[in-house]
Every structure is written in structure tokens, then in C-alpha cells.
């Protein structure tokens, strides 16, 4: 089972894998013909991974199908009494059949039995868009100024249309 640039979340002894693409050969222009995953699977960390892959339906709604995205865990996620142990994760940017440079920001909350999902593409969303679509970004969670500052996600680098060579963009979400 091969995926190019998938994303994953560790949930107890399971690793949830989603997004990514696979190569179906070449298209008529000689470019890679990519198929984007619309499913998820999990593996149990206590088993031999190559022998046991399980389909999973832990997502209340599947994230947008894409690859070359970044995923970052919100280290400031609070554990509420009514929720199970887990974290908020943010998925940033990527590329898919609709766009080579997505400006999407998605939030996945694993504190619910079925992971809550929201996207900057949702109507009435409070999630920001990237100011310009990107793929191949890196993202880190940090506090602005010091460890007691404002929690933020820093989006670093990536590919986009119109970015001059040698320029490193840093975006704070």
C-alpha cells in the first residue's frame, strides 16, 4: 500500500493515515498521473505493520483529498471533562487535482469518538485561509515571543505560483 506524502495522527496504539496520492504512471503529457486518496486507514503499533492494515471511519467528515500538505498538533489543546484524550491538529496547504497550490487550513479534533473536522472552505468558518496557496510547506506549533506568549502555528516555506527563488515565507496562523 503506497502513498505519496500522506498525513498521520497517533491515537493511542493506532496510527491513522489519510490523504496522500499514488502514481498511476504518466499522462499524455508525460507528467505523473496522480490519484488522490479519499479514504483513511489505521495500523496498530503493536502489530507487524505490513501485515495488518485496517480501514477506518473515525473521521466524522473526511478531509479534502490532497497531498504535499503539512500537519501540526496544537500543543495547547485542553482536555475537557466531556471529551476523551486527544489533540487538535491543523492541516495546511497542499496540492490536488483542483489546484497545485491550495490555500486551505483544516482542523481535526481527535478528542471526539469520531474526529471533528472543519475547513477554511466551510461556510461561516473561523479558520483562516493561507494568504496564498502553497504545497510542500512545513508547519510548527510555537508560542509567539516566549513559552507564555500567544500560541501560534508558523507555516514555513513551500511552493507557490509567483514566489521568487530564494524567498522563505513565514506565515503565522
Amino acid at each position: 500500500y503506497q502513498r505519496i506524502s500522506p498525513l498521520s495522527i497517533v491515537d493511542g496504539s493506532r496510527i491513522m493515515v489519510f490523504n496522500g496520492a499514488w502514481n498511476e504512471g504518466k499522462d499524455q503529457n508525460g507528467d505523473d498521473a496522480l490519484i488522490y486518496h479519499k479514504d483513511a486507514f489505521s495500523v496498530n503499533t503493536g502489530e507487524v505493520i505490513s501485515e495488518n492494515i485496517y480501514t477506518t471511519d473515525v473521521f466524522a467528515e473526511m478531509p479534502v483529498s490532497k497531498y504535499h500538505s503539512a500537519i501540526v498538533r496544537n500543543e495547547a489543546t485542553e482536555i475537557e471533562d466531556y471529551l476523551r484524550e486527544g489533540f487538535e491538529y491543523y492541516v495546511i496547504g497542499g496540492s490536488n487535482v483542483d489546484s497545485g497550490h491550495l490555500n486551505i487550513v483544516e482542523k481535526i479534533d481527535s478528542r471526539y469518538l469520531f474526529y471533528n473536522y472543519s475547513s477554511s472552505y466551510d461556510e461561516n468558518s473561523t479558520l483562516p485561509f493561507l494568504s496564498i496557496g502553497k504545497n510542500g510547506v512545513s508547519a510548527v506549533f510555537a508560542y509567539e515571543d516566549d513559552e507564555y506568549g500567544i500560541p501560534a502555528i508558523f507555516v514555513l516555506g513551500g511552493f507557490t505560483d509567483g514566489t521568487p527563488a530564494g524567498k522563505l515565507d513565514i506565515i503565522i496562523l
Side-chain angles (χ1 to χ4, degrees):
Y1 204 85
Q2 297 180 354
R3 287 187 187 218
I4 301 167
S5 193
L7 299 174
S8 60
I9 294 173
V10 175
D11 188 355
S13 64
R14 296 185 306 167
I15 301 171
M16 312 309 250
V17 181
F18 60 102
N19 279 168
W22 74 88
N23 191 328
E24 283 289 311
K26 301 288 183 184
D27 63 16
Q28 66 269 14
N29 299 324
D31 296 325
D32 288 337
L34 298 174
I35 306 296
Y36 299 92
H37 286 280
K38 295 180 182 176
D39 62 350
F41 69 90
S42 68
V43 292
N44 187 322
T45 59
E47 298 177 8
V48 178
I49 292 175
S50 63
E51 294 181 8
N52 297 297
I53 295 176
Y54 308 97
T55 58
T56 185
D57 59 357
V58 298
F59 291 95
E61 178 183 344
M62 280 301 294
V64 170
S65 182
K66 66 194 159 317
Y67 83 142
H68 283 174
S69 300
I71 188 168
V72 63
R73 184 173 79 184
N74 178 355
E75 299 295 335
T77 304
E78 294 182 22
I79 305 301
E80 306 288 341
D81 290 338
Y82 60 92
L83 298 175
R84 66 189 196 100
E85 189 172 330
F87 292 94
E88 293 173 338
Y89 296 85
Y90 291 86
V91 178
I92 298 140
S95 177
N96 67 13
V97 71
D98 296 325
S99 175
H101 311 287
L102 297 171
N103 66 345
I104 190 170
V105 174
E106 299 165 292
K107 179 179 169 184
I108 298 166
D109 193 335
S110 70
R111 298 175 298 167
Y112 294 85
L113 181 59
F114 292 100
Y115 296 178
N116 276 5
Y117 170 80
S118 59
S119 158
S120 55
Y121 289 177
D122 296 341
E123 188 176 331
N124 302 318
S125 175
T126 59
L127 292 171
F129 287 96
L130 293 177
S131 58
I132 189 165
K134 292 179 169 256
N135 71 63
V137 299
S138 177
V140 295
F141 176 88
Y143 291 93
E144 289 186 41
D145 299 324
D146 61 30
E147 65 182 284
Y148 303 107
I150 299 167
I153 296 170
F154 292 79
V155 179
L156 309 160
F159 298 101
T160 187
D161 288 334
T163 300
K167 181 173 189 247
L168 173 64
D169 284 340
I170 300 176
I171 300 168
I172 303 172
L173 295 179

